[in-house]
Structure formats: C-alpha cells, structure tokens
Amino acid sequence: EDKVVQSPLSLVVHEGDTVTLNCSYEVTNFRSLLWYKQEKKAPTFLFMLTSSGIEKKSGRLSSILDKKELSSILNITATQTGDSAIYLCAVVSRGFGNEKLTFGTGTRLTIIP
Amino acid sequence: GAGVSQSPRYKVAKRGQDVALRCDPISGHVSLFWYQQALGQGPEFLTYFQNEAQLDKSGLPSDRFFAERPEGSVSTLKIQRTQQEDSAVYLCASSLRGTEFEQFFGPGTRLTVL
C-alpha cells in the first residue's frame, strides 16, 4: 500500500523565520511528487517535482526532491502570517494503467506575528 | 467556469439517508477525481474518471459509495444509507488529463451525518 508521511505534524514559528517541511514516501512506480497549500478551503497547487525536475522555486518557497532518499522538503523563507496553512504532500504513482494520488496527513504551519 | 465548483457546500443527513454530491469540473478538463478528507487528515483518494469512464474506484470505502460522470463533465458522488463515519469533507478535483497535470480542487462539500 502506498504511503506518504509528513513531518512535523504541526509547527509554530515567528514571522520572519525560515521553516523546512518534510515528506517521505513509499510507493510503487513513483511518477511525481506534489506540494499543496490548504487554508480553509480547497488545496491549492504549489509545486510538482519529477525525475526531470527535482528542484523548484517560487518566491520565498522552494522544494527539492531526493529520489534516492524517497523524500522531499519544502522550504519557506522569511515567513509571513499569510503562510499559515496546512501544507500537503502528495505522490503520484502508476498502477494497472491508472495513476493515483496519495496524500500525506499534512503539516499545520502557524506563523505568529 | 473559472474553477471547480461543488454543491451543496454543506450537507447534514440523518443516519440511513442517501445523499448526492455534485461536482462541476473546469470546462475541458478530461480527468476528474473525488477525495474524502476527514478532520485533521489529508485527502484520501476515492475514485477517478477520464471523460465518462471510471478508471479507478479502488478508494471507495464500501458498496454504499457510487460515483458517475455520464457525459464526461459533471460528476455525482452518491452515498447510500449514510453512516456517521461518512462525515467528512468530500473534495472534487479536475485536471487537463490524468495526474501529470495540476489538479484543481473545488471548495468541497462538508457532510455531517447525525
């Protein structure tokens, strides 16, 4: 059974701090890893990492995929209160002709002003 | 439409009732996914459509759960004889095709079974 584990489960930091969120996975036929930000409603897409694109950056957010260690990290620098959210990691794996997205339980990030 | 929409946004059902949850994907998106998200958990995959074909329903927790997308656009997730453990947020997502393209999520339907 495919498994995605995120750590820490929750994190509280002060505005301006840098945070690193972790995601590790055990899946058959890995295809890609995605990061989502979930505030009160639906998850919104942040990054997709594949074998051909193991590092992504957008503003203060960056992510790296380590296929050898079966893990990924999401870094947020100079955190702001608007970064408070649940950050979800999901892994795409291929089954019998189909593709499946398995989510971790998320990391709840709280930024204190 | 501009994004994925779902209705109703909130549904309260008495145990044993049947419910139907609707998802309108982004126009032109071939793939549609349903997820169940319990409180404090990440979304869990339920089922996946490519056009009108249900390619994967391995995540449906029991035969009380049924999903359809008869014309390859709007999808309905039906839960028969609801149980308290069915209480969750049901998220729908669509993508251009499969999981190689970004999935856009709807706002979800929060189902509470009393």
Side-chain angles (χ1 to χ4, degrees), chain B residues 67-83:
Chain B
E68 60 183 5
R69 193 185 186 200
E71 296 177 2
S73 178
V74 171
S75 177
T76 304
L77 177 67
K78 297 179 179 176
I79 309 173
Q80 297 176 323
R81 304 182 303 282
T82 51
Q83 305 292 316

Side-chain angles (χ1 to χ4, degrees), chain A residues 32-48:
Chain A
S32 58
L33 184 145
L34 300 96
W35 284 97
Y36 284 86
K37 178 181 181 182
Q38 186 172 28
E39 296 171 90
K40 294 195 174 174
K41 297 181 182 177
T44 53
F45 174 81
L46 295 174
F47 297 117
M48 176 185 280

Side-chain angles (χ1 to χ4, degrees), chain B residues 77-108:
Chain B
L77 177 67
K78 297 179 179 176
I79 309 173
Q80 297 176 323
R81 304 182 303 282
T82 51
Q83 305 292 316
Q84 282 188 318
E85 61 263 27
D86 300 335
S87 295
V89 174
Y90 290 85
L91 292 167
C92 173
S94 71
S95 76
L96 273 173
R97 181 177 289 276
T99 48
E100 300 207 11
F101 294 87
E102 176 187 348
Q103 291 189 21
F104 294 84
F105 282 81

Side-chain angles (χ1 to χ4, degrees), chain B residues 31-43:
Chain B
S31 300
L32 185 146
F33 304 80
W34 283 99
Y35 297 90
Q36 179 191 60
Q37 187 172 24
L39 193 64
Q41 301 294 315

